[in-house]
Amino acid sequence: MEILKRPMGDYQTNCYIVKIDDKEIIIDPGMGATEWVMANVKNPIAILNTHGHFDHVWSNSELQSQLNIPLYSPKGDIVLMQSSTWMPELPPSTPDIAVDGDKTLDISGIEVKFHHFPGHCPGCSMIEIGDAIFSGDFLFEGSIGRWDFPYSNAESMRESLQKFAKWTIDKPLYPGHGNPTSVRAEQRNVDYWLRIV
């Protein structure tokens, strides 16, 4: 498995391309992602969103149209993908597959697991593919997603952190912003964040 990353737009939102067995999965195509994605895929099979905030979904509809491949997004965030109070010019997008909660999917023979961790937003999820987990805006290196935005929920964030603390696997985490980290590294910070949220 090969992972390509490019920070996109003013918010430097990480767009990822995951290459497995001559197939590619695109994760969180943000602002201005289309040109980079098109230059780096040969056999794309799906677009995935970790959540619905504008800086992660901006290029969804453009890539759906150009590549004619399905978009998988958390069901709870569809409303955020349709319009944005922060960015009224957001190109609206609609998932072909709305992923509800924790789900394991088979996408062209590749196992993809959506792990639902609401709090930052209703549909906020981490996506596990092979030995990598794409944590979106739930977890960053030494930090977590904000819980004071519209549609955020502090109690849901606390429950999500408690759920994450019980994970027994350790894999690399590739966040929506910043540098990679790992499950174990961020589990060490959970008690601190539970006191803050």
Side-chain angles (χ1 to χ4, degrees), residues 61-158:
S61 58
E62 192 171 37
L63 285 169
Q64 278 178 287
S65 174
Q66 292 196 29
L67 296 173
N68 193 29
I69 57 176
L71 171 65
Y72 295 74
S73 308
K75 182 178 181 180
D77 283 359
I78 292 176
V79 64
L80 301 177
M81 300 165 61
Q82 299 296 315
S83 64
S84 170
T85 55
W86 295 309
M87 289 284 182
E89 63 271 32
L90 170 70
S93 57
T94 301
D96 299 284
I97 295 90
V99 182
D100 191 7
D102 294 334
K103 293 289 182 188
T104 298
L105 308 170
D106 183 312
I107 302 178
S108 296
I110 298 173
E111 184 177 83
V112 174
K113 296 181 180 180
F114 273 74
H115 300 280
H116 189 213
F117 288 99
H120 179 64
C121 52
C124 193
S125 299
M126 299 204 295
I127 299 173
E128 181 179 0
I129 304 174
D131 290 330
I133 298 171
F134 300 88
S135 60
D137 283 4
F138 173 49
L139 295 171
F140 309 111
E141 182 184 28
S143 189
I144 63 174
R146 289 176 60 170
W147 58 92
D148 59 342
F149 288 152
Y151 297 98
S152 296
N153 185 287
E155 181 56 35
S156 293
M157 179 62 86
R158 284 190 289 271

Side-chain angles (χ1 to χ4, degrees), residues 5-41:
K5 179 185 88 169
R6 174 68 64 89
M8 297 292 174
D10 293 341
Y11 295 87
Q12 292 291 279
T13 304
N14 291 330
C15 176
Y16 295 98
I17 298 173
V18 182
K19 299 190 174 190
I20 304 175
D21 298 332
D22 297 320
K23 301 171 185 175
E24 295 115 1
I25 294 174
I26 301 151
I27 299 176
D28 285 356
M31 303 175 82
T34 299
E35 183 178 355
W36 177 74
V37 169
M38 296 298 290
N40 285 280
V41 297

